[in-house]
């Protein structure tokens, strides 16, 4: 007994729209059936999403979150289609912000789902027959065409003795989605030895507060340390830096 070989690819997984109220902006996505034998019957639907303070995705029904733009989106040429094995189809996604703004938010988001509606038979690790259905999500971002102002500020930097992790808080107080890389280095104040910690890639929306937990390797010796965290973001690689003196006991 083997597992059914099915696959669904969607590119790009994120689409960014900059459009004024009353305008229409269209972009294209490509949906691919990666299976060699199984045709896929696919449908298009919408949902809402946002980030929580830890950077995880929160999903919801369409038009239920404050930042939703799900009702602004249309898909062409159709929202229900069959894709033969190995073939691709191009969809046009159009975002049309309404003339009358519903709020003062700088960025709105939605999720476009591509869902397989013809589940195929497969077998799980215990040999039981199961039905497999694929779904892929495309994130939609919209902002109005005002001058971009990406801005991130650090709120707090602390050492949690109980969890033995550095904890950094930051906020996106700009007017656009802002992604970047957080790099952290430790310096042992006793001998000057440096420890480079694992980088973290962070995604934020305007108004988002983010709580980041930074792991310390278990082999780092006890002592007095300076932690330096640098967040690099934006097209011009803007840098924000925070430092903390703490003890590993």
């Amino acid at each position: 007994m083997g597992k059914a070989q099915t696959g669904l690819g969607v590119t790009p997984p994120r689409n960014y729209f900059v459009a004024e109220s009353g305008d229409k902006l269209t972009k294209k996505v490509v949906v691919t059936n990666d299976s060699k034998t199984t045709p896929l019957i696919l449908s298009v639907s919408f949902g809402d999403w946002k980030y929580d303070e830890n950077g995880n995705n929160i999903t919801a029904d369409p038009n239920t979150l404050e930042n939703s733009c799900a009702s602004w989106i249309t898909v062409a040429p159709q929202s229900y289609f069959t894709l033969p094995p190995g073939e691709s189809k191009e969809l046009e996604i159009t975002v049309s912000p309404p003339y009358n703004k519903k709020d003062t938010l700088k960025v709105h988001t939605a999720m476009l789902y591509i869902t397989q509606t013809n589940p195929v038979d497969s077998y799980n690790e215990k040999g039981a027959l199961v039905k497999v259905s694929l779904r892929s999500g495309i994130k939609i971002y919209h902002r109005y065409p005002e001058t971009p102002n990406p801005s991130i500020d650090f709120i707090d930097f602390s050492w949690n003795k109980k969890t033995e992790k550095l904890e950094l808080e930051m906020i996106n107080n700009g007017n656009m989605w802002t992604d970047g890389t957080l790099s952290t280095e430790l310096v042992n104040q006793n001998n000057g030895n440096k420890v480079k910690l694992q980088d973290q890639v962070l995604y934020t929306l305007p108004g988002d507060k983010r709580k980041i937990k930074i792991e310390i390797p278990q082999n780092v010796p006890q002592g007095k340390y300076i932690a330096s965290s640098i967040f690099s973001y934006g097209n011009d690689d803007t840098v924000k830096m925070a430092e903390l003196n703490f003890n590993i006991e």
Side-chain angles (χ1 to χ4, degrees):
M1 292 183 294
K3 295 183 178 180
Q5 298 299 312
T6 57
L8 175 64
V10 179
T11 56
R14 295 182 179 87
N15 281 264
Y16 301 89
F17 293 80
V18 180
E20 189 54 87
S21 299
D23 290 342
K24 293 184 177 181
L25 183 60
T26 299
K27 294 192 175 186
K28 296 179 180 180
V29 299
V30 177
V31 182
T32 302
N33 181 353
D34 293 324
S35 169
K36 296 181 180 179
T37 58
T38 305
L40 298 179
I41 301 175
L42 302 171
S43 67
V44 177
S45 61
F46 301 99
D48 288 350
W49 74 274
K50 64 179 182 178
Y51 294 119
D52 67 13
E53 64 181 14
N54 297 313
N56 300 312
N57 294 323
I58 296 176
T59 58
D61 292 335
N63 305 307
T64 58
L65 296 181
E66 182 185 16
N67 66 332
S68 175
C69 64
S71 62
W72 306 356
I73 305 172
T74 56
V75 174
Q78 64 265 106
S79 58
Y80 190 80
F81 57 95
T82 298
L83 203 54
E87 293 195 10
S88 298
K89 184 178 183 63
E90 194 173 75
L91 299 179
E92 292 186 345
I93 301 175
T94 300
V95 172
S96 306
Y99 282 100
N100 297 321
K101 293 184 179 181
K102 64 177 183 177
D103 53 48
T104 59
L105 297 177
K106 302 299 184 181
V107 170
H108 295 84
T109 65
M111 187 78 80
L112 188 152
Y113 293 109
I114 308 292
T115 304
Q116 178 188 359
T117 62
N118 61 325
V120 297
D121 292 338
S122 185
Y123 297 91
N124 63 21
E125 61 276 5
K126 296 181 179 179
L129 180 65
V130 295
K131 293 287 187 179
V132 175
S133 181
L134 304 175
R135 185 171 80 161
S136 184
I138 302 170
K139 285 184 174 180
I140 307 295
Y141 302 73
H142 167 268
R143 71 173 180 86
Y144 297 103
E146 57 187 56
T147 302
N149 178 35
S151 180
I152 297 289
D153 280 327
F154 292 127
I155 301 173
D156 191 27
F157 200 12
S158 61
W159 168 246
N160 189 321
K161 293 182 180 180
K162 185 176 180 180
T163 63
E164 296 187 335
K165 294 179 181 178
L166 292 167
E167 296 182 354
L168 180 65
E169 293 187 41
M170 55 193 287
I171 185 172
N172 179 337
N173 51 21
N175 66 354
M176 62 181 298
W177 46 81
T178 303
D179 312 332
T181 301
L182 180 70
S183 302
T184 302
E185 184 178 73
L186 305 182
V187 177
N188 188 314
Q189 296 188 61
N190 298 321
N191 54 28
N193 289 342
K194 296 181 180 181
V195 180
K196 178 72 170 64
L197 305 184
Q198 186 172 359
D199 289 350
Q200 297 185 46
V201 178
L202 306 176
Y203 301 88
T204 66
L205 298 173
D208 279 358
K209 290 184 179 180
R210 187 73 73 246
K211 293 184 177 180
I212 306 108
K213 294 178 172 56
I214 304 171
E215 300 274 355
I216 304 294
Q218 292 185 350
N219 61 354
V220 173
Q222 295 182 352
K224 295 182 179 181
Y225 287 87
I226 299 175
S228 299
S229 285
I230 297 175
F231 187 62
S232 175
Y233 64 93
N235 293 332
D236 57 354
D237 283 330
T238 301
V239 170
K240 292 292 177 69
M241 182 175 178
E243 286 192 344
L244 175 69
N245 290 281
F246 70 104
N247 298 328
I248 297 180
E249 301 173 347

